[in-house]
Amino acid sequence: MSNKKVVLIGAGNIAKTHAAALREIPGVDLFGVFDVNTAAAQGLAREFGVSRVFTSMDEAAASTADSAHVLTPPGLHFASAMPFIAAGKTVLLEKPVGVSTAECDLMRTAATQSGAVVGVNQNLVFNPAYVQLKSAIESGQLGKPRYLDYVYEVPLRQLAARQFGHWMFREPLNILLEQAVHPLSQVLDLAGPVKELSVLAEDPVEISPGVGLHNACQVSLLCERMPAHLRFHVGAEFTVCRMTVVCDDGVAVADMFSNQFHTMKRTAYMEPVDAWLSARATGRQVASQGFAALRDYIMATAKLKPRSDAFYLGMKGSLQAFYQDLQTTGKPRIDLDFGARLVSVCEEVAAQFKPVPSRASEEPSIKPTGELVTVLGGTGFIGSHTVAALLDQGYQVRVMARGVGNLQAVFSRPGVEIVRGDVKNRIDLERAISGVPYVINLAHGGGGASFEAIRAAMVDSAVMVANICQEAGVRRLVHVGSISSLFLGNAGETITGATPPDPRPETRNDYARAKALADAALLEIHKNTGFPIVLIRPGLVVGAGTSPFHGGLGFFNNDQHCIGWNSGQNALPWVLVGDCASAIVASIAAPLAAGRAYNLVGDVQPCAREYLRDLAKTVQRPLKFVPSSPTGLWLVEMGKWLVKRATGREVARPFKRDLMSRGLLARFDCTGAKQDLGWTPVADMAVFHQQALAVHAGDDQA
């Protein structure tokens, strides 16, 4: 029997996981890929040796492929799957299978007519810890199951980054379809279909005018085989993804995040002895599995065994079960009907969410009449404050951003024009810059898998913006970079606006290297052409709208513990976001600013230890600063690098010089910004504390 030929529809990050897992599954071949982003599809094809890159969905559906994996965003699942369902092919959709029961019904009807087989990738059903729990329950070793409790408390990167234009934030139902289907898939798989449910919904968080994020609720479910309760919360600080099943003769616990399973049972002895023996047995289970996870991580990193983290094993198990089920029964266990039941439950839960309370607008209603300023990348943290400052100064503002949905209230103020665009796209830039006298570039262009990609996104886009501004007759370009473009590792050096970008950018991390190259390129353009460019380099920007856990403190393996770049006793170059915005706006018309660079560092500069200590008191959390040394950190990074190189991976060598610069030992003299821009940053510690730290007290959404 020939292998099944698989085509991937969508070439994003999840497609790479599918491609890697398919390599390990016998009986299937990765045959082709399609994505509207042809470059992404071609890159995936090169990386995994895919033979064909299709030019359209219809071409892929008409090919000789046997099955299609639909890996597009949820809102496109239906449109992406239907050509393959109509062609009678086997289709595996990423969760959720659809965004409504109506979509699921239409897919079911089409599949019945064409004979297509449709499954859904609910990878958490195949999480190793859950598989062990289910096996223990079904074996009867713990007696009859009576009750299931599930705690799903997880961080959410898009929420922390305030990327509210993401699909999951557009409708109240979407966050459930994106996130709640994970725990619900396990609940329904073990406890059976839901017969009745009730919801205790917490108040929504208003993320834009009239738009609420329902990020937390409690759901009680009466299922066919047992009752269940789900605590659902995204945007949590501590990750808990744990199922507990209470049985007549014991308790089973599966922790999906740490990939651990254990049981609590009775022994034949009296209660005090029983408690000790039972606790010892449970402790041995947990300790053994914790050691196994560490061992497997080390061995996988050293390429001594295949990848074995819980996420990948769950994905691999899901795809493997899908194709095994097709071969043995002709129908996947996790099929369209299963996925449709999950969508239906999410709809029932969303129907019981509380509405966002209505409130009177507090924004000014008078449209400003000043000159028009284009702000590129203006919907981010610094951008939103800059737009507000521009409006307050009487400017009209045109904001270009990639995502224009669920924006903050400031973007609904009179005088604001929103245009969708990408700073890497010349046509978008020309449209946004046309007819304006001033441009503020806050867009960094995004990241990439290699330095070449990062350079193209951050450096080339900055140069293109400058060139287009020249061509369009813009009177001044304000480019907002970062102090990371400078070398800041010399405690005896004083940094001024005249300090050049790091002369050895190749010894820095990719972000700092690109920032240094972008600054150097823009200064060269001004030198050669005289085009008026102002470079603004903010320090460590803090305030309302961003996480207080700043990377300038150190690196956070989790929010609670900060591994410092050094001993954490040197003053750090903080700047309040409001002060940053006021300087950016002032640089538009300041007579002496053209061709100059200004570093924005405030007058209140607590060290890392002081900042984290005060933050801990403010948010009432046990935050810890762990001092380190650049030498120690560098030796650890060198060890990792040597292991990766020994296993054939091409990775950039770490430099101690980069870690020294991250420690921010140098001192700043911002006299130039204060004189030329009339800049007066906050100098009162109490005010700094209020605007940098106290704004996060009681903040439980991110």
Side-chain angles (χ1 to χ4, degrees):
M1 181 182 294
S2 60
N3 287 352
K4 296 286 185 182
K5 293 189 288 187
V6 180
V7 60
L8 303 182
I9 305 303
N13 288 333
I14 198 66
K16 292 186 177 182
T17 304
H18 276 250
L22 286 169
R23 278 179 167 177
E24 299 188 52
I25 299 175
V28 298
D29 289 328
L30 191 47
F31 171 67
V33 59
F34 167 74
D35 195 292
V36 291
N37 183 338
T38 304
Q42 291 172 340
L44 186 72
R46 285 193 301 271
E47 183 176 352
F48 290 94
V50 181
S51 59
R52 295 193 60 180
V53 175
F54 295 102
T55 59
S56 71
M57 203 110 62
D58 290 336
E59 181 189 8
S63 73
T64 58
D66 299 295
S67 62
H69 291 203
V70 175
L71 313 176
T72 53
L76 300 176
H77 280 186
F78 177 77
S80 302
M82 283 301 284
F84 298 93
I85 294 175
K89 296 186 183 295
T90 298
V91 179
L92 178 66
L93 292 104
E94 264 297 332
K95 60 80 193 166
V97 67
V99 298
S100 67
T101 52
E103 280 191 355
C104 297
D105 290 343
L106 289 171
M107 282 191 279
R108 187 183 294 107
T109 299
T112 300
Q113 293 173 349
S114 68
V117 176
V118 182
V120 56
N121 178 36
Q122 296 290 164
N123 58 286
L124 224 57
V125 173
F126 299 90
N127 173 276
Y130 170 73
V131 171
Q132 292 182 75
L133 179 144
K134 184 178 180 181
S135 176
I137 297 299
E138 292 181 339
S139 72
Q141 61 178 280
L142 300 174
K144 184 176 180 178
R146 295 293 183 178
Y147 169 68
L148 185 158
D149 181 76
Y150 205 124
V151 178
Y152 187 81
E153 296 251 355
V154 297
L156 196 57
R157 175 179 55 81
Q158 296 87 350
L159 180 57
R162 302 181 69 84
Q163 296 172 349
F164 296 140
H166 193 284
W167 176 86
M168 75 176 89
F169 302 127
R170 294 177 191 170
E171 300 288 342
L173 172 63
N174 291 8
I175 192 70
L176 300 176
L177 294 174
E178 180 76 21
Q179 293 290 326
V181 290
H182 285 304
L184 285 171
S185 67
Q186 294 178 315
V187 172
L188 268 64
D189 182 59
L190 190 63
V194 177
K195 298 190 293 183
E196 183 182 341
L197 67 81
S198 62
V199 179
L200 179 60
E202 298 186 17
D203 292 333
V205 178
E206 190 171 30
I207 58 176
S208 66
V211 178
L213 170 62
H214 300 78
N215 66 322
C217 63
Q218 282 71 242
V219 185
S220 295
L221 309 107
L222 183 60
C223 301
E224 283 190 356
R225 291 188 283 274
M226 71 183 91
H229 183 268
L230 169 65
R231 159 63 179 175
F232 173 77
H233 177 206
V234 293
E237 304 291 356
F238 193 89
T239 302
V240 182
C241 186
R242 179 174 297 171
M243 174 186 284
T244 302
V245 181
V246 179
C247 305
D248 284 342
D249 298 290
V251 175
V253 180
D255 188 319
M256 270 56 73
F257 178 70
S258 62
N259 193 22
Q260 292 188 0
F261 164 74
H262 68 269
T263 59
M264 292 176 279
K265 303 178 183 179
R266 292 177 294 206
T267 68
Y269 302 96
M270 58 187 295
E271 284 190 8
V273 178
D274 173 79
W276 172 63
L277 292 175
S278 178
R280 188 177 67 169
T282 299
R284 284 176 174 171
Q285 286 180 290
V286 173
S288 174
Q289 293 177 71
F291 174 78
L294 175 62
R295 177 201 63 208
D296 291 347
Y297 169 78
I298 294 172
M299 294 182 69
T301 301
K303 295 293 182 72
L304 298 176
K305 68 172 297 183
R307 181 178 172 184
S308 56
D309 58 276
F311 169 73
Y312 181 73
L313 291 178
M315 290 288 292
K316 176 183 170 183
S318 178
L319 303 191
Q320 194 168 39
F322 178 73
Y323 286 103
Q324 285 179 346
D325 289 345
L326 291 177
Q327 187 175 7
T328 56
T329 66
K331 176 178 167 52
R333 180 169 68 88
I334 309 300
D335 59 4
L336 173 57
D337 289 338
F338 184 89
R341 286 195 292 272
L342 289 173
V343 173
S344 177
V345 170
C346 290
E347 288 177 331
E348 286 190 63
V349 173
Q352 299 185 47
F353 281 160
K354 300 176 181 178
V356 178
S358 59
R359 60 182 178 86
S361 174
E362 299 175 357
E363 299 297 337
S365 59
I366 300 175
K367 180 178 179 179
T369 58
E371 292 184 288
L372 180 61
V373 179
T374 285
V375 182
L376 305 175
T379 58
F381 168 48
I382 299 176
S384 61
H385 288 267
T386 301
V387 170
L390 285 166
L391 294 171
D392 291 343
Q393 291 295 316
Y395 290 101
Q396 299 179 71
V397 186
R398 178 184 295 163
V399 177
M400 189 191 85
R402 284 180 293 182
V404 297
N406 289 347
L407 299 181
Q408 300 173 50
V410 65
F411 298 102
S412 299
R413 285 175 58 175
V416 178
E417 173 191 356
I418 304 293
V419 296
R420 186 188 297 273
D422 190 326
V423 74
K424 299 188 291 296
N425 186 303
R426 185 179 184 88
I427 295 175
D428 290 345
L429 287 172
E430 289 174 343
R431 183 176 67 252
I433 292 171
S434 175
V436 302
Y438 306 112
V439 173
I440 299 173
N441 186 9
L442 279 154
H444 58 71
S450 64
F451 177 71
E452 289 70 26
I454 293 172
R455 179 189 178 111
M458 295 176 64
V459 183
D460 295 351
S461 67
V463 171
M464 182 164 59
V465 168
N467 291 336
I468 293 173
C469 285
Q470 284 183 277
E471 297 165 6
V474 170
R475 297 207 297 267
R476 182 172 292 184
L477 166 65
V478 178
H479 178 86
V480 183
S482 167
I483 60 169
S484 63
S485 67
L486 307 166
F487 177 69
L488 305 172
N490 186 351
E493 184 176 7
T494 297
I495 304 295
T496 70
T499 303
D502 191 339
R504 297 171 58 194
E506 71 281 357
T507 65
R508 304 291 302 284
N509 64 82
D510 287 346
Y511 175 83
R513 181 181 180 185
K515 285 295 185 184
L517 293 174
D519 282 6
L522 293 174
L523 290 171
E524 190 69 16
I525 289 174
H526 171 76
K527 177 182 176 182
N528 293 336
T529 68
F531 178 64
I533 299 175
V534 182
L535 289 184
I536 299 291
R537 300 176 180 135
L540 310 182
V541 188
V542 288
T546 193
S547 170
F549 302 101
H550 202 291
L553 296 162
F555 66 94
F556 293 83
N557 286 323
N558 54 70
D559 281 353
Q560 188 181 348
H561 297 89
C562 174
I563 312 298
W565 300 118
N566 51 34
S567 64
Q569 296 175 313
N570 57 293
L572 292 181
W574 303 103
V575 61
L576 292 168
V577 66
D579 287 339
C580 182
S582 68
I584 293 170
V585 174
S587 68
I588 291 176
L592 300 177
R596 297 189 179 182
Y598 299 100
N599 304 312
L600 302 183
V601 174
D603 292 336
V604 181
Q605 301 176 21
C607 69
R609 291 172 183 262
E610 293 168 336
Y611 176 94
L612 209 63
R613 180 197 65 207
D614 291 348
L615 178 62
K617 293 179 181 177
T618 301
V619 300
Q620 299 181 17
R621 294 181 58 192
L623 307 179
K624 305 294 182 183
F625 181 83
V626 181
S628 64
S629 73
T631 300
L633 293 173
W634 176 70
L635 289 174
V636 171
E637 293 303 310
M638 281 297 294
K640 294 178 183 177
W641 178 75
L642 289 170
V643 170
K644 292 174 182 177
R645 292 291 292 128
T647 56
R649 296 169 63 182
E650 293 291 334
V651 290
R653 175 187 162 226
F655 287 89
K656 181 180 176 181
R657 187 172 181 275
D658 180 58
L659 293 165
M660 290 290 296
S661 188
R662 294 192 192 200
L664 305 169
L665 296 173
R667 304 294 297 180
F668 283 84
D669 181 352
C670 297
T671 302
K674 293 177 179 179
Q675 291 180 345
D676 295 355
L677 307 180
W679 190 50
T680 55
V682 166
D684 187 322
M685 182 63 191
V687 176
F688 176 87
H689 182 278
Q690 178 62 37
Q691 296 185 22
L693 304 177
V695 292
H696 301 291
D699 181 3
D700 61 357
Q701 80 169 52

